[in-house]
Structure formats: C-alpha cells, structure tokens
C-alpha cells in the first residue's frame, strides 16, 4: 500500500498538472470503489476550479473553489495517470474507473485494480470534523513532530512498538514498510513495549539520530 512518501510524490505530480485547471466533467464508470461514490459526486465536481492539491497522511486533498475538498485515498493499487490534450493514450483500461476532463483538453484518470481506494468530498472549513481525518496524529516531519512529542504519545502505551507506530493516531502516514525501517535503524525491537521506549534513553535520543 502506498505510504506517505509515495502519496506525496503523487500529490506533487497532480499539483503540477491540475492546479488552476477547471473540471469540465467527471466520468464515474462504476458506482463504487471501496465505498460507494457520494450521491451527486460527479455533478458536484463539474465546473469547479482546482485551487491546490494537498495531502494529509495518506489522503490526497484536492482543494476546489467554493469551500469544497475532494478527497482521494489510493488504497493498495490506486494510481493517477495524467493525459495531455495531444495524448494518443486512451482511457478505457479495464480498471480505469474515474476520468476527469479538464478545460485544457487534458484528462486525469484514476485506475484501481483491487478497488481498495475511495473518494469523498467535504466542506474545506469542516476538515477537522471529517471522519477519516479528525483523529489523525501529527505528520512525521520536523515541523510537526519532535522526539519529545513522540515520547509523550508513547508514554503509557502497552502495545508493541510496531503497532503503536502503525496506529495513525500516533503518527499519521506511516505504514508497514517505513515503520519496519525506522525500528531497524533505531535498533528497537518491533515487539518491545511502546511505553518502555519513551524514557530518557529511549525514543528521544534514538529519533534524534
């Protein structure tokens, strides 16, 4: 499953091609992915200007005019393909479920072989109340998470260290691959009790490496 770095790479690619474009129409080629598309989803997106493409944890947040955010989760196999107006590539692959037609003649095609991805929308001003985003922990970057913050989040946790880091309420965006790498490089057993790592000689020193 794509983790934070992979989703950030996708975000940057979408940002370069979608920001400032107008959505002319949206084709939904099935009624659902992991979850059903919201009622009136295609109509809601049609005619809106794409203001920016952001990310929170593993979620892509496409900001549209009119206080609307279009949220996309890639699931395990979701991917976006960007086709220019002069592209001869077709968008009729067996797993091309969403085709976004843009005002410059380009298309953004969302494909998902296993259909574990999903899309939704919400009012941008109500992001903190969104059911998928409300309980997410801080991003694993120096601007959002310090060693002391992480130590505080782990203090009193009786769960194994790996499970604690995979919990999106502790740190947002980490998955199995990066958690395993972090623990290996830190010399911390994934089975170790999370609370035992939060002491002075534990996570605060190891994360600062």
């Amino acid at each position: 499953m794509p983790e934070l770095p992979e989703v950030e790479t996708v975000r940057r690619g979408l940002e370069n091609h979608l920001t400032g474009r107008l959505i002319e129409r949206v084709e939904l080629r099935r009624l659902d992915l992991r979850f059903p598309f919201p009622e009136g989803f295609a109509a809601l997106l049609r005619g809106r200007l794409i203001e920016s493409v952001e990310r929170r944890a593993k979620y892509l947040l496409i900001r549209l005019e009119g206080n609307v955010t279009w949220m996309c989760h890639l699931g395990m196999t979701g991917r976006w393909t960007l086709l220019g107006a002069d592209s001869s590539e077709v968008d009729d692959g067996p797993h091309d479920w969403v085709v976004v037609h843009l005002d410059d003649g380009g298309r953004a095609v969302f494909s998902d072989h296993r259909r574990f991805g999903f899309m939704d929308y919400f009012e941008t001003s109500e992001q903190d109340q969104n059911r998928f985003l409300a309980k997410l922990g801080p991003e694993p970057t120096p601007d959002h998470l310090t060693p002391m913050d992480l130590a505080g989040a782990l203090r009193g946790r009786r769960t194994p260290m790996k499970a604690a880091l995979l919990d999106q309420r502790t740190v947002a965006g980490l998955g199995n691959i990066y958690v395993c790498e972090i623990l290996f490089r830190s010399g911390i057993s994934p089975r170790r009790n999370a609370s035992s790592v939060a002491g002075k000689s534990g996570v605060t020193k190891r994360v600062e490496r």
Side-chain angles (χ1 to χ4, degrees), residues 38 46 55 63 72-73 81-83 88 92 100 113 124 134 148 161 165 200 202 208:
R46 186 174 60 242
R55 179 194 54 74
R63 308 295 192 188
C72 173
H73 193 285
T81 301
L82 300 169
L83 305 176
S88 60
D92 60 354
V100 182
H113 175 69
T124 303
M148 292 303 297
M161 188 63 182
L165 291 180
K200 292 182 179 179
E208 286 170 346

Side-chain angles (χ1 to χ4, degrees), residues 74-137:
L74 299 176
M76 294 186 70
T77 58
R79 67 185 182 94
W80 282 98
T81 301
L82 300 169
L83 305 176
D86 57 351
S87 174
S88 60
E89 188 173 346
V90 296
D91 53 28
D92 60 354
H95 308 294
D96 293 346
W97 305 124
V98 180
V99 181
V100 182
H101 296 263
L102 304 170
D103 61 335
D104 64 350
R107 290 159 291 160
V109 183
F110 183 76
S111 309
D112 191 354
H113 175 69
R114 301 188 69 178
R115 300 203 310 273
F116 286 163
F118 68 89
M119 295 184 183
D120 200 355
Y121 72 88
F122 56 85
E123 292 186 10
T124 303
S125 58
E126 297 184 358
Q127 177 169 321
D128 290 343
Q129 287 76 50
N130 181 270
R131 61 179 177 140
F132 297 106
L133 307 177
K135 295 184 179 180
L136 289 175

